Each structure stands twice: as C-alpha cells, then as structure tokens.
Amino acid sequence: MLSLRVAASALLALSLASCASTKTEKPSAKTAFVASPENPAGKPLSAGERVPMEPAAWFKPNRPKSGLAGRTLEVESIQDIKLGPKEVALTFDDGPVPGRTESILDTLARYDVKATFLMVGEMAKAHPAIARKVADAGHSIGSHTWSHADLHKLSFDQAMTDITKGELAVKTGTGVDPAFFRFPYLSDSKSLRTRMAQRSVVVLDVAIDSKDYFKSAPSEIVERTMETLHRRGRGIILMHDLHLRTAVMLPMLLDRLKAEGYKVVTLRHERKKTMLLASAD
C-alpha cells in the first residue's frame, strides 16, 4: 500500500513539472521581500503568513494623516480668499527646479497638505516633467510670467505678452490652465490687475513673506516666518521652490504649524457660471 502511495506522489510531481517553465529563474526580491502594511519592513514571510495581492497595498501603504490639512477653499477672485484664524495657504514661486521642487513635493505628500505653485514659464518649458508632477500630485497651478520680468517697468502690452506667454508655457508643461497668478516682485499696476480679473485669473498677494531668498539658515527662515504669522494670525505664505534651503526648512515649518494648531488651506479655482445676454439691432 505504501509503495502505491509513493508511486502516485511521484507521478503527480512529474505531471506538475511538465507544466512548469523550462527556464531556470532566480527568486525575485520584488516579490519575496515586498513591503506592505502587514510586512512594513519587507522581511521574508513565513509559510503561514498572508501575502497582500493588491498592488496598491504593496507600494502605497496607508499612512496616518498629519492633522495639518485644513479645508478646501474654492475661489473666483482674490476677494474670495478669506482665511480664518490660524489658517494658512502655502505658495511657491519661480519653479519648477530639478531636485528642489521634487523634494518639496515629497514633503507636502508626507504631511498630506496641498500648495499652490506659481511657475515661471521659462522654467516650466525647461522642466515639463517636473511641472507635470506638481499637477499630478493635486496641487493648484498658477503662473508667474514668462521671464520673471518686473511688469511695472514694461508697457501694458509688453506686460500682457509676458504674462500670456508664461501662461501658455505653464499650461503646456502641466496640462492644466494656470488659474492663479502672482506678480514678480509683487510689482503690479491697477490696469494689469483689472485685466487679470477680467480674464478670471486670481491674483495672489502675500501676507507672510518667508524671505527665503535671503541667504539664511533654514531654522532662521522658519523663525522669521512664524514671527510674522504670530503677528497676523493667518495668511498666504510666500516661499520659492528654487532654493535648496527652502526644501530643507519646509518640514521644520510644517512641524511648527502643526504643533501650534495651524491648518493648511487648499486653494482651488472655481469659475462661476454666468449667463451672457446679447442683443442686436
């Protein structure tokens, strides 16, 4: 009886082997040591442990929320941006820049907050893949002219040409219409502001200037920003994603905001539907 069982087992093994690939394959580290919520360290699993079969569970383990993300504010004009006490909006000018913008994106994702990126057209054209990453990560997109010119020193037509050229480059890079805008050097004019409003573009001003363009240590930038924020209590924070020191200081700033009970508001542009009436003689 025993010999019959041995023979049957041998026959089954031979049958299964005939269905297998004839190639000799090495064990795959990607499957044998997958990091997952059940196995966060990616250690070898024992025979009785369950292997997660959904790819999302392998590569995007659920992370606890930071508690820093606040409400989403839909705006059509600057007048709609009404922040409450201890509410801030994060904005970054002048990018995208390789290394720096991507580091900032990683930090924002880690803290589960969104920002508004005001891109220079020349930079978006030079680095379209990074510009697209910003949009794909769900951040709001704005423009910052084509060449970062001081528009106040240009004629109206020259200024509008620089603005529209920048918008086109940002749209091409991100795949998104840049609905927000910030004047370089905050140098504006009444006529330009009026035209931007007529075009349903939201011009962003600044309440808290981090002054990260100064050659300060990251910790000094954080202290300067928080000092201004303490005086104002709320507001739009200006930063620049072209500086390494900004990328380094951002986690420190977000930790301070969280510790002091601030919330990061997400700005979203919303064009309200209006009815146009036309008449003819």
Side-chain angles (χ1 to χ4, degrees):
M1 186 69 172
L2 180 60
S3 61
L4 290 175
R5 289 180 180 176
V6 171
S9 297
L11 182 62
L12 177 60
L14 182 61
S15 176
L16 291 175
S18 68
C19 298
S21 171
T22 57
K23 296 180 180 179
T24 302
E25 296 179 353
K26 296 180 180 180
S28 171
K30 291 182 179 179
T31 55
F33 299 93
V34 168
S36 69
E38 293 82 6
N39 182 27
K43 297 178 180 179
L45 300 174
S46 64
E49 291 183 283
R50 180 171 62 89
V51 178
M53 297 305 296
E54 186 180 356
W58 298 351
F59 301 109
K60 294 182 180 179
N62 293 326
R63 291 193 298 256
K65 300 295 184 180
S66 69
L68 188 56
R71 63 191 174 114
T72 296
L73 186 58
E74 296 181 342
V75 301
E76 186 185 29
S77 68
I78 187 66
Q79 288 77 20
D80 295 328
I81 303 179
K82 297 177 180 178
L83 301 178
K86 289 210 165 186
E87 284 188 334
V88 299
L90 308 177
T91 65
F92 296 90
D93 287 6
D94 294 355
V97 177
R100 284 77 186 277
T101 300
E102 293 139 315
S103 176
I104 287 170
L105 289 177
D106 289 342
T107 297
L108 295 174
R110 195 161 66 247
Y111 285 81
D112 192 36
V113 293
K114 302 298 182 184
T116 303
F117 286 79
L118 293 306
M119 300 183 183
V120 172
E122 287 182 324
M123 302 302 290
K125 182 178 181 180
H127 309 292
I130 304 175
R132 177 73 67 161
K133 283 183 181 180
V134 176
D136 289 348
H139 299 286
S140 296
I141 303 299
S143 62
H144 199 42
T145 74
W146 164 254
S147 61
H148 204 278
D150 186 342
L151 301 183
H152 193 67
K153 296 180 180 180
L154 303 179
S155 69
F156 178 84
D157 289 341
Q158 288 174 327
M160 286 306 304
T161 297
D162 201 60
I163 289 171
T164 55
K165 186 178 180 181
E167 288 174 336
L168 179 59
V170 171
K171 181 178 180 180
T172 301
T174 63
V176 176
D177 272 319
F180 296 93
F181 177 79
R182 177 173 283 139
F183 285 94
Y185 314 106
L186 302 179
S187 181
D188 62 357
S189 70
K190 184 177 180 180
S191 58
L192 287 173
R193 276 185 171 268
T194 299
R195 177 58 62 88
M196 299 304 281
Q198 291 170 345
R199 298 172 66 243
S200 297
V201 176
V202 178
V203 175
L204 293 181
D205 292 318
V206 176
I208 299 100
D209 186 352
S210 70
K211 297 182 180 178
D212 56 351
Y213 40 84
F214 290 167
K215 293 183 178 179
S216 306
S219 59
E220 293 175 352
I221 299 172
V222 173
E223 292 303 324
R224 180 165 58 233
T225 302
M226 293 304 300
E227 182 180 350
T228 305
L229 183 54
H230 290 156
R231 292 198 305 268
R232 291 184 172 272
R234 72 194 82 184
I236 298 173
I237 300 178
L238 169 63
M239 294 170 282
H240 300 79
D241 56 324
L242 80 164
H243 300 305
L244 178 59
R245 54 183 170 270
T246 303
V248 172
M249 76 88 186
L250 185 60
M252 302 163 57
L253 176 63
L254 296 181
D255 280 337
R256 282 286 298 275
L257 291 173
K258 179 182 177 182
E260 297 188 22
Y262 287 90
K263 293 290 184 180
V264 174
V265 172
T266 301
L267 300 180
R268 297 292 186 203
H269 187 262
E270 178 190 22
R271 285 187 172 91
K272 298 176 183 178
K273 295 180 179 179
T274 57
M275 182 178 295
L276 300 178
L277 302 177
S279 62
D281 292 335

